[in-house]
């Protein structure tokens, strides 16, 4: 919450538009408010019990953060992902083993979801033109952020979660199985939901 207020503060104070250009400021403000809302909505979805202990979870909060990222681009997406990760810690929904593990899994991993924004332009373009590439572009966009996030969880898994390895697996293979599975299921569920949302209301992905 403090971060949200801080972000809003900086986007007003650090505005690079002409002095007195109230409407530009207002539209920038709107971008950040949408990001905070997407993060809050993602956090609410994180309370739906789709997790089975610290190892396995379908992270459906990816949906609002990625809608926002495809709508507004990489930097806003990174900020929204960071807020979503922070909310896990603030609301006691985080599995924290050590400070560095907490930082890696709840600051870094959630933030890199915003890298999906690197594909925001092709997604918006194909959606506007109504050509057949939208499904593929969306798949690439979802894959970038999901892969980046679960690569970090994989790395954390090797470093910090090896002691919990099941089925007699070593830390690397165990982390690969758990985080590979989490990433695949989360990515697939997110992709399907985003496809349905885009069919119902394509304006969700197009900036005002
Ligand atoms: C092998 C392994 N087990 C557990 C974790 C922790 N982990 C994995 C995926 C997602 C998240 C964030 C909350 O859903 C966490 C904490 C791991 N990295 N590796």
């Amino acid at each position: 919450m403090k971060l949200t207020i801080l972000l809003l503060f900086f986007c007003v104070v650090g505005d690079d538009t002409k002095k007195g250009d109230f409407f530009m400021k207002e539209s920038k403000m709107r971008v950040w408010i949408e990001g905070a809302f997407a993060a809050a909505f993602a956090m609410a979805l994180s309370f739906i019990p789709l997790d089975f202990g610290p190892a396995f979870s379908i992270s459906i909060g990816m949906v609002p953060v990625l809608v926002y990222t495809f709508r507004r681009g990489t930097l806003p997406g990174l900020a929204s992902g960071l807020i979503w990760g922070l909310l896990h810690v603030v609301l006691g929904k985080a599995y924290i083993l050590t400070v560095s593990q907490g930082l890696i899994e709840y600051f870094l991993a959630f933030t890199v979801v915003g890298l999906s924004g690197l594909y925001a332009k092709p997604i918006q373009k194909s959606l506007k033109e109504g050509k057949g590439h939208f499904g593929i572009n969306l798949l690439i966009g979802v894959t970038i952020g999901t892969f980046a996030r679960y690569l970090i969880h994989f790395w954390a898994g090797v470093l910090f979660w090896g002691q919990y390895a099941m089925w007699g697996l070593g830390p690397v293979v165990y982390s690969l199985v758990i985080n590979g599975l989490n990433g695949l299921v989360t990515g697939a569920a997110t992709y399907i939901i985003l496809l349905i949302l885009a069919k119902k209301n394509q304006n969700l992905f197009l900036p005002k």
Side-chain angles (χ1 to χ4, degrees), residues 54-55 57 88 95 101 105-106 110 149-150 153-154 156-157 161 174-175 178-179 182:
S57 72
H88 279 79
Y95 294 100
Q101 176 266 341
E105 297 212 87
Y106 289 96
F110 281 85
R149 176 181 164 188
Y150 283 91
H153 287 312
F154 163 71
W161 293 90
Y174 173 64
S175 186
I178 291 293
N179 293 298
N182 279 331

